[in-house]
Amino acid sequence: MAKSMENNKAVKMLRAAEEGGYGVIGVVSYNLETITAVVRAAEAKKSPAQILLFPWALHYSPLLIHLAAAACSTAKVPVVLHMDHAQSEEEIIAAAEYPFDSIMVDMSHYEKEENLEKTERITKYLHERGIATEAEPGRINGGEDGVKDTGDLEGLLTTAEEATRFVDTGIDFLAPAFGNVHGNYGGVENIKLDFERLDKIREATKGKATLVLHGTNTFPDATMQGCIKGGMTRCNVNELVLFKYNDYVAKNTGKVPLTELMGKGTDLIQEQIEYQMDVMGSTGKA
Ligand code: 13P
């Protein structure tokens, strides 16, 4: 029997964020340290949170997915599991066998009509299984570790008209391209977001899908808060919470015991996540 979308935890979490005017952190997770840090931070801050895995996890080891799912089901506050940037139908079908609350149907490397057709068909497939979907109309530039490189495809800014067409496919979350970039902006001065465009996209999608933010590397607090004011509900972070950890691991691997490396590393990620929960206004909202 088809599962209902009524009780989807990710949809509920992001609708509550939209109503409450705060953002929920979505942490790109590659390992045990990050997953542990998400749960600890969420519990310490009494904040909702999301663990994000890339399709890389499917190929690396399903154990990472089971670990993340267990972290969500045992957390004392709402923490949900999202597959980010699933770029092929095969990966999405494989991911749907695991307890993901939502999956990003990222067909942005196809031309618009093909992106729409695939998004609609796969959304139906996932909804029948109680899994929420996210799509990316337009194309966010850049790339990151764990996501298949789509080559030199040019970035395309999302229009309100496109956003409407994508929302009509039945998706739950929409990731607009409004100047945001994956990976490195090459300096804070290069973060140039088109908030007027974001306003129009929000108008076109309001009440039908919630907006999610990609590409937050080196975001100043005010920029993050501006995006949330503009309607963003989940804010995806990667380097923004991992940079101290990455630096610490680079400097200390082989020099301190592994237990210390993992323990201190986890603390460094947790600190950054907690900081961002305050910035996003989700502290105390669980
Ligand atoms: P970046 O900020 O590095 O792009 O990571 C967050 C993200 O958007 C993942 O989809």
Side-chain angles (χ1 to χ4, degrees):
M1 198 176 79
K3 276 196 189 170
S4 158
M5 283 301 295
E6 285 287 292
N7 296 317
N8 184 280
K9 289 190 285 179
V11 171
K12 278 190 183 166
M13 187 182 280
L14 296 191
R15 280 196 189 142
E18 175 153 62
E19 275 162 33
Y22 59 89
V24 173
I25 197 163
V27 183
V28 171
S29 302
Y30 298 101
N31 60 11
L32 170 65
E33 290 88 319
T34 312
I35 290 167
T36 305
V38 175
V39 174
R40 285 188 188 166
E43 289 178 347
K45 286 289 186 181
K46 303 207 174 353
S47 166
Q50 302 209 358
I51 296 173
L52 272 48
L53 296 178
F54 287 143
W56 162 82
L58 286 167
H59 309 292
Y60 166 65
S61 169
L63 288 176
L64 189 64
I65 307 176
H66 289 303
L67 168 72
C72 293
S73 64
T74 57
K76 294 187 184 73
V77 292
V79 179
V80 305
L81 184 58
H82 172 75
M83 159 88 37
D84 210 32
H85 293 292
Q87 292 161 306
S88 76
E89 232 165 306
E90 295 73 40
E91 281 173 334
I92 292 167
I93 289 167
E97 296 301 313
Y98 295 93
F100 283 101
D101 299 288
S102 56
I103 297 179
M104 180 179 187
V105 180
D106 179 4
M107 298 296 142
S108 62
H109 45 293
Y110 290 101
E111 292 310 316
K112 185 163 82 182
E113 295 305 319
E114 209 172 347
N115 185 350
L116 265 168
E117 183 274 316
K118 286 182 191 294
T119 302
E120 182 157 18
R121 190 160 38 81
I122 302 169
T123 294
K124 200 159 165 280
Y125 178 87
L126 292 177
H127 278 181
E128 280 166 6
R129 286 154 183 80
I131 302 170
T133 61
E134 170 179 342
E136 180 178 317
R139 191 178 295 135
I140 300 169
N141 239 340
E144 58 197 301
D145 189 13
V147 179
K148 202 168 120 232
D149 195 343
T150 48
D152 298 327
L153 292 177
E154 91 182 292
L156 299 168
L157 297 181
T158 310
T159 63
E161 184 263 329
E162 254 174 342
T164 307
R165 289 192 67 193
F166 270 81
V167 160
D168 287 345
T169 65
I171 55 160
D172 304 280
F173 318 128
L174 185 133
F178 65 113
N180 43 333
V181 168
H182 279 299
N184 208 330
Y185 281 88
V188 175
E189 66 282 8
N190 293 321
I191 303 174
K192 295 195 176 93
L193 303 177
D194 183 347
F195 283 102
E196 269 178 44
R197 183 181 292 271
L198 181 59
D199 276 349
K200 289 191 189 123
I201 294 167
R202 189 185 194 190
E203 246 352 277
T205 55
K206 216 167 181 179
K208 299 180 200 147
T210 49
L211 299 181
V212 293
L213 175 64
H214 286 247
T216 56
N217 199 350
T218 64
F219 262 26
D221 299 350
T223 306
M224 186 70 85
Q225 286 164 343
C227 290
I228 292 165
K229 210 156 166 255
M232 293 300 190
T233 56
R234 182 193 340 108
C235 304
N236 293 2
V237 300
N238 188 344
E239 281 275 312
L240 193 66
V241 298
L242 290 182
F243 70 100
K244 284 195 182 168
Y245 166 78
N246 288 338
D247 188 50
Y248 170 77
V249 170
K251 289 189 176 126
N252 290 282
T253 299
K255 294 182 187 145
V256 299
L258 201 49
T259 46
E260 191 178 322
L261 198 75
M262 291 175 77
K264 173 78 178 151
T266 304
D267 290 347
L268 288 171
I269 306 169
Q270 183 184 345
E271 256 172 53
Q272 294 306 307
I273 296 175
E274 288 192 20
Y275 179 84
Q276 289 298 331
M277 285 170 167
D278 286 343
V279 170
M280 294 177 192
S282 67
T283 298
K285 304 289 189 191

